[in-house]
Amino acid sequence: MEYDDILHQIGPYGKYQKLLVLAMFVIKIPLSCHFIAQVFLAAKTDHWCALPESQAINCTQLRLTSLTDCLEEQKSYSIPYEIDHDGEQVYSSCQRYILGDEGDDSGQILNSTDIISCDAGWVFDHSRYKSTINENFNLVCDREDLPGIAQSIWFAGLLAGSLGWGSVGDWIGRRKTFILTLILVTVSSTVTSFVPNFTSFVAMRFITAACSYGTVLMTYVLVSEIVGPKKRVVANTILFFSFSTGYVLLTLLAFLLREWRHLHLAISLPFILCLLLVFVIPESPRWLIIKGRFKAATKTIENIAKVNGTQVPEDLIDKLSDTKQDNKQHSNFPVTQLDLVRTPNIRKKTLILFVDWFVANMVYYGLSLSTSALGVDDYLAAFVSGAIEVPSYLFCWYVMNRYGRRLSLVGFYIFSGLFCLITIFIPFGATRAAVAMAGKFAISAAFGHIYIYSLEIFPTIIRSMGMGASSMVARVSGILCPFILLLGKYWQPLPLCVFGGGSIVAGILSLMLPETIGCPLPDTIQDGENFGKGERFQQCYKRNPGRKNQDPSQPPPDYLPLPTLQNTQQDPIHVDA
């Protein structure tokens, strides 16, 4: 008996599944805050050289009662400046005048024309941010690239997490992996708020990122495997709303909490409350069935049916056990990451999905992390950037169900690329921000889309591994993203050219993916290899083409198992197909 048939009887999207989605939604909100937190943790603020205490001006003697007036007066005579295109003075951030030892009649120290680098630290403008990691760890001037490196290390943490948690989820189960990663995230993120230096900051952020990925991955995998085919888009779209909710909440918290340690602690402590929800998180029945753990699967299915108010099929455990021999035969072919590229059809789909994930992640974070470069207020730009994701995911939900997965994904990528390229020709200001947000709208929809699409394409037996490998590729682009943004120092339009061109390429390649609307999830390697093979642009209907006239317990005809020690010794060249 197929699990999709069981879901049809106990309720593909009943009360149980809705409560599960709600719990996952709540848990993902603080996770989402951490993904974009560095926009405010490392916000750029105006700064200039501090003076040695012995050379500071006497504000009382000059009758300057306001601290702001005192700082401005000190800056005006000690910091060199240039006149910009608008005719305004722009003070140097990293240099100051050498001050002479002689004073005038009022005792004021005279300035010289000689210039040196800041040797007594910096003074930071606190009108917008009371403190940032840039100020606390002196990440300015010759260290100004370190915040970008910190963001790259965050993505490196996500990359490290994607290397392992997918396989762990397929090995010990979705639930155990989810609980383990959530505990690690709670500890590491809280500790980050109290770190004394930049090295420990990036180290703890690396750990938080690596474990956050495992939590997010298990969230999507669990929901997709417990919800019926027709409701997968609905459930996963709701989960994506948690990301935009977290983004908007982060902006509001950043506006209220101007010190970076307070802000980071505020988005970390909610994980403690989230730990209370793990007791209601079930193990995936689909994974339990694949592993032959029919008693545990039956118990979970009975719980789902009880909450949904439906009936469990009679003799369920016996019907599941009928497939026990087939599962044993299938287990003779242990799966590894190589199964993502071992057979031709799965290999083609995997490589295209890799490109899609790489581009979606690069463009999404490229536009999110550069909101301060759009010529509008930081908080307003970040708030709009997060809020625009809500209609984006709603639109994605509608289009995926109305026009299918493939063509909607192609459209999202193409439009995102075009908007990024158009932004190049628009001057800084509200119009440029509006066009960039249109590109953010499209790429947000593509990002939400690719999560659901990938879950539907990868078979159950390697689903976590496939999602992990795809996310690993995406994190490579995340590591590169801050450096791509730095290229704007040499030619300003270059980052947008990379984002726009990459989006268009991903859209064209996505035309080669199969349509998955209305299809049951493929379970075995055989299902995954046959799914979409020979398909052109016709839609997939209720019957799964991957199971037609095939024995799901056996691998595809062109599946090449890894040679064992025994057959390697007997015949080191020949491997039976």
Side-chain angles (χ1 to χ4, degrees), residues 40-47 67 122-137 253-263 378-379:
F40 300 105
L41 300 180
K44 293 183 178 180
T45 57
D46 190 17
H47 58 276
L67 178 62
W122 291 266
V123 177
F124 289 84
D125 180 9
H126 291 157
S127 61
R128 184 174 296 272
Y129 300 96
K130 291 184 179 179
S131 73
T132 63
I133 64 170
N134 298 351
E135 178 178 351
N136 283 178
F137 305 140
L253 288 173
F255 183 80
L256 297 173
L257 304 173
R258 303 299 179 98
E259 296 186 14
W260 78 266
R261 294 185 188 273
H262 296 169
L263 174 61
D378 290 0
Y379 295 107

Side-chain angles (χ1 to χ4, degrees), residues 229-249:
K230 293 183 179 180
K231 297 297 183 179
R232 285 197 296 263
V233 175
V234 176
N236 282 288
T237 301
I238 292 174
L239 292 182
F240 266 93
F241 285 149
S242 67
F243 201 93
S244 56
T245 302
Y247 202 158
V248 172
L249 180 62

Side-chain angles (χ1 to χ4, degrees), residues 324-337:
K324 186 174 183 180
Q325 186 62 34
D326 288 341
N327 280 278
K328 282 185 176 181
Q329 294 175 7
H330 179 72
S331 65
N332 290 331
F333 301 93
V335 295
T336 66
Q337 283 85 351

Side-chain angles (χ1 to χ4, degrees), residues 218-487:
M218 292 304 110
T219 297
Y220 287 105
V221 173
L222 256 175
V223 168
S224 295
E225 293 182 348
I226 290 182
V227 171
K230 293 183 179 180
K231 297 297 183 179
R232 285 197 296 263
V233 175
V234 176
N236 282 288
T237 301
I238 292 174
L239 292 182
F240 266 93
F241 285 149
S242 67
F243 201 93
S244 56
T245 302
Y247 202 158
V248 172
L249 180 62
L250 172 67
T251 305
L252 296 177
L253 288 173
F255 183 80
L256 297 173
L257 304 173
R258 303 299 179 98
E259 296 186 14
W260 78 266
R261 294 185 188 273
H262 296 169
L263 174 61
H264 198 276
L265 192 61
I267 62 177
S268 300
L269 291 180
F271 286 127
I272 298 176
L273 297 177
C274 291
L275 287 173
L276 300 176
L277 295 175
V278 300
F279 297 103
V280 301
I281 305 300
E283 183 54 87
S284 165
R286 188 184 293 271
W287 178 83
L288 291 171
I289 293 171
I290 286 293
K291 293 296 182 179
R293 297 170 56 182
F294 302 120
K295 289 184 179 180
T298 300
K299 184 177 180 180
T300 303
I301 292 171
E302 288 174 347
N303 290 337
I304 296 174
K306 182 179 179 180
V307 176
N308 288 347
T310 56
Q311 294 295 324
V312 177
E314 295 183 3
D315 302 324
L316 174 60
I317 192 168
D318 294 332
K319 292 178 181 179
L320 293 177
S321 297
D322 288 340
T323 63
K324 186 174 183 180
Q325 186 62 34
D326 288 341
N327 280 278
K328 282 185 176 181
Q329 294 175 7
H330 179 72
S331 65
N332 290 331
F333 301 93
V335 295
T336 66
Q337 283 85 351
L338 289 177
D339 288 289
L340 295 171
V341 293
R342 193 189 300 274
T343 55
N345 191 32
I346 292 181
R347 178 168 58 246
K348 180 190 76 172
K349 293 181 290 187
T350 297
L351 294 178
I352 294 174
L353 288 174
F354 282 176
V355 174
D356 286 345
W357 278 74
F358 184 94
V359 172
N361 192 77
M362 175 183 68
V363 180
Y364 178 87
Y365 284 105
L367 294 178
S368 297
L369 296 174
S370 60
T371 52
S372 60
L374 297 176
V376 295
D377 180 78
D378 290 0
Y379 295 107
L380 177 62
F383 182 87
V384 173
S385 181
I388 202 172
E389 293 184 16
V390 175
S392 173
Y393 297 143
L394 287 173
F395 185 68
C396 175
W397 177 4
Y398 170 78
V399 171
M400 287 182 72
N401 283 328
R402 180 69 176 82
Y403 300 104
R405 313 317 197 219
R406 174 171 47 201
L407 293 181
S408 57
L409 181 64
V410 171
F412 290 142
Y413 275 122
I414 296 295
F415 279 110
S416 173
L418 291 177
F419 283 124
C420 285
L421 295 176
I422 291 173
T423 304
I424 296 173
F425 304 99
I426 302 176
F428 289 99
T431 304
R432 182 185 179 92
V435 176
M437 288 303 101
K440 176 72 183 299
F441 178 96
I443 202 62
S444 296
F447 213 162
H449 188 301
I450 199 61
Y451 263 91
I452 301 170
Y453 204 11
S454 300
L455 288 165
E456 294 179 338
I457 288 177
F458 289 120
T460 301
I461 196 69
I462 56 171
R463 181 165 296 122
S464 287
M465 272 190 262
M467 294 294 290
S470 299
S471 183
M472 177 187 68
V473 174
R475 304 318 160 191
V476 173
S477 71
I479 295 172
L480 296 176
C481 189
F483 297 102
I484 295 174
L485 293 175
L486 289 176
L487 294 177

